[in-house]
Amino acid sequence: MLKGKFIVLDGPDGCGKSTQTRMLSECIANQGVDVASYRDPGTTLVGEKIRNILLDVAHEGMGDNVEVLLYMAARAQLWKEHIAPDLAAGKCVLMDRWLSSTCAYQGFAGGFGVEKVIQIATDSLERIWPDLTVILDVDAETAAARMQRDLDRMEQKGDAYHAKVREGFLKLPDIEPTVKVVDARKTVEQVHKDILKLII
Ligand code: TMP
């Protein structure tokens, strides 16, 4: 059932999606399904360079429109090099972030416009929505407690921006029915179980 499926875990910074992506990937592999797991932005040579440009704290003047184009460029490369061939080979592709992030961060929080983000995605990507996007929802306090490290340029954007990011994520199921929300304030094991309920 999971062969050839395209699944995304997404959510605000500090939502725990990297841990959950790892746990889910192991769980899918244990069922005998070939699974590939990637991070967006990044993974490809081009994508990792774009990621560094996006997250570099020296680039504080970067516009939301520039962010949209760079995130989309990294994603287009990832699709071409990995996701498209993997799906065609029947693998399950599990992504740490995807278009849902551009909608919530740049489209909603940054004010660029969610519809405009989706239009640019439609023009730049062969496929925009995965089979399932799971948003791991957390409040600001829980997220902050999980981010005990130096903050990158996006993470430094401040509380008001990040409150809007969360709001943007929570609006996505109204726009796209394959987007589902899981309460990620629960324990790591409980969140994992809640994600599995959506998948298996
Ligand atoms: P990561 O650290 O979770 O890999 O994500 C990198 C940062 O980039 C994170 O703060 C979220 C942000 N981001 C966007 O603003 N727009 C996007 O489209 C994506 C994929 C990530």
Side-chain angles (χ1 to χ4, degrees):
M1 209 172 81
L2 287 167
K3 282 187 183 165
K5 287 280 185 271
F6 181 18
I7 298 168
V8 172
L9 297 192
D10 211 336
D13 290 280
C15 69
K17 71 187 161 37
S18 303
T19 305
Q20 293 297 336
T21 304
R22 228 174 9 254
M23 290 170 81
L24 183 59
S25 174
E26 276 172 28
C27 180
I28 294 172
N30 287 341
Q31 297 197 11
V33 176
D34 209 355
V35 56
S37 181
Y38 305 118
R39 71 169 178 178
D40 175 31
T43 305
T44 66
L45 186 60
V46 167
E48 289 294 334
K49 287 185 177 175
I50 294 175
R51 179 185 175 92
N52 289 338
I53 293 170
L54 279 160
L55 302 186
D56 188 337
V57 291
H59 301 162
E60 58 178 322
M62 191 184 289
D64 290 285
N65 54 345
V66 177
E67 289 178 3
V68 169
L69 295 170
L70 289 177
Y71 279 113
M72 217 61 83
R75 190 166 297 140
Q77 190 66 26
L78 187 51
W79 174 268
K80 177 175 176 272
E81 280 188 37
H82 293 286
I83 306 175
D86 286 353
L87 293 176
K91 288 188 191 177
C92 174
V93 174
L94 184 55
M95 290 298 309
D96 182 331
R97 296 199 188 277
W98 185 250
L99 176 63
S100 30
S101 274
T102 324
C103 291
Y105 283 80
Q106 286 68 44
F108 193 78
F112 183 80
V114 176
E115 293 77 15
K116 273 169 70 186
V117 167
I118 293 172
Q119 187 56 55
I120 290 174
T122 306
D123 293 341
S124 343
L125 304 171
E126 277 172 49
R127 173 170 171 183
I128 64 168
W129 294 110
D131 294 298
L132 174 70
T133 301
V134 183
I135 304 300
L136 304 181
D137 180 49
V138 275
D139 57 278
E141 294 72 34
T142 309
R146 291 176 183 172
M147 289 197 297
Q148 306 290 351
R149 56 186 160 81
D150 288 345
L151 301 184
D152 63 38
R153 191 184 65 84
M154 293 303 299
E155 291 165 342
Q156 282 184 4
K157 286 199 180 219
D159 294 348
Y161 181 91
H162 286 282
K164 289 203 84 176
V165 167
R166 183 185 183 196
E167 206 185 322
F169 274 123
L170 294 177
K171 282 179 186 291
L172 285 179
D174 298 336
I175 298 171
E176 170 55 41
T178 56
V179 180
K180 310 284 179 201
V181 177
V182 159
D183 183 352
R185 289 168 298 185
K186 299 180 186 171
T187 63
V188 170
E189 289 72 22
Q190 189 56 55
V191 174
H192 177 60
K193 281 184 190 154
D194 290 347
I195 294 171
L196 285 184
K197 279 184 212 154
L198 292 172
I199 289 173
I200 296 168

